[in-house]
Amino acid sequence: MIPLLRPAIVIFVLLSLITGFVYPLATFGIAQLAFPRQANGSLIVREGKPVGSALIGQDFDAPEYFRGRPSATAPMPYNADASTGSNLGPGNPALLDAVRQRIAMLRAADPDAREPIPSGLVMASASGLDPDISPQAAHWQARRVAKARGMPVQEVEALIAAHVQGPSLGLFGEARVNVLELNLALEDAQGGAARRKR
């Protein structure tokens, strides 16, 4: 029996070392060398302090900031520990109520906006953490942000245009705007540090 167990034990120990230590350490080392920013969370740093990640949305609700996509995570929005969508189907009354509430909130925040609200501002993403909005969603908010900041609308529109990212590798996904980066650019344009409400 022992001669039969010895190879199994040796293989078990070797595979445990390879898959439990060697492979993770090699992957970590290669990532740190080749992609250090991404491997460390794509953090955005200002004045030596991280203000957020380019990969995780934040809850901006002050009128002088662009809002991101709604988040369905609990117990707080954009909770990376609870990444998920709402799992509510299109005919679910709870989803319809949530969308109606979001529309009412956006209309109350900007009563002068008469254009249809882009769907990305009222529908949560599948992850609940989406850091980006469409260029259309950013342009829809430009007048409100400009008014709240006392900036010309054209200047805000120019900042949006400067922060539009095309599809990944020119093929995958759609054009998008990172909300945190755009809000930080607004602060830079007015010479201030980001003030975010969570």
Side-chain angles (χ1 to χ4, degrees):
M1 182 66 96
I2 292 176
L4 293 174
L5 285 176
R6 184 175 295 134
I9 292 170
V10 169
I11 289 172
F12 172 76
V13 170
L14 283 175
L15 285 175
S16 295
L17 287 172
I18 291 169
T19 60
F21 295 98
V22 176
Y23 177 75
L25 286 174
T27 303
F28 175 78
I30 291 168
Q32 290 295 326
L33 291 173
F35 308 102
R37 181 175 179 268
Q38 293 88 336
N40 292 298
S42 298
L43 297 179
I44 297 174
V45 177
R46 290 296 172 98
E47 298 176 5
K49 296 180 181 177
V51 295
S53 169
L55 303 177
I56 299 176
Q58 294 187 30
D59 190 19
F60 292 96
D61 59 4
E64 64 268 23
Y65 292 107
F66 285 90
R67 295 174 183 266
R69 288 191 73 172
S71 174
T73 64
M76 61 184 186
Y78 307 102
N79 179 4
D81 289 335
S83 175
T84 185
S86 68
N87 292 329
L88 299 176
N92 190 309
L95 177 63
L96 299 175
D97 287 343
V99 169
R100 285 190 191 104
Q101 289 173 9
R102 293 167 185 155
I103 290 171
M105 180 265 305
L106 290 167
R107 291 290 185 204
D110 189 3
D112 296 330
R114 302 285 182 228
E115 302 87 359
I117 299 172
S119 62
L121 292 176
V122 295
M123 299 292 290
S125 67
S127 70
L129 305 177
D130 198 339
D132 304 318
I133 55 175
S134 67
Q136 295 81 9
H139 289 297
W140 189 87
Q141 301 180 73
R143 278 193 308 253
R144 169 182 54 80
V145 171
K147 182 178 179 182
R149 287 183 171 271
M151 294 174 68
V153 176
Q154 296 82 358
E155 188 176 341
V156 174
E157 294 278 5
L159 283 172
I160 294 171
H163 285 81
V164 173
Q165 303 169 38
S168 299
L169 302 175
L171 298 171
F172 304 107
E174 299 179 358
R176 62 201 182 280
V177 178
N178 185 283
V179 178
L180 175 58
E181 290 176 356
L182 180 57
N183 283 333
L184 289 171
L186 280 169
E187 291 291 338
D188 290 343
Q190 294 193 309
R195 299 179 302 277
R196 296 176 309 286
K197 290 190 178 182
R198 288 179 181 248

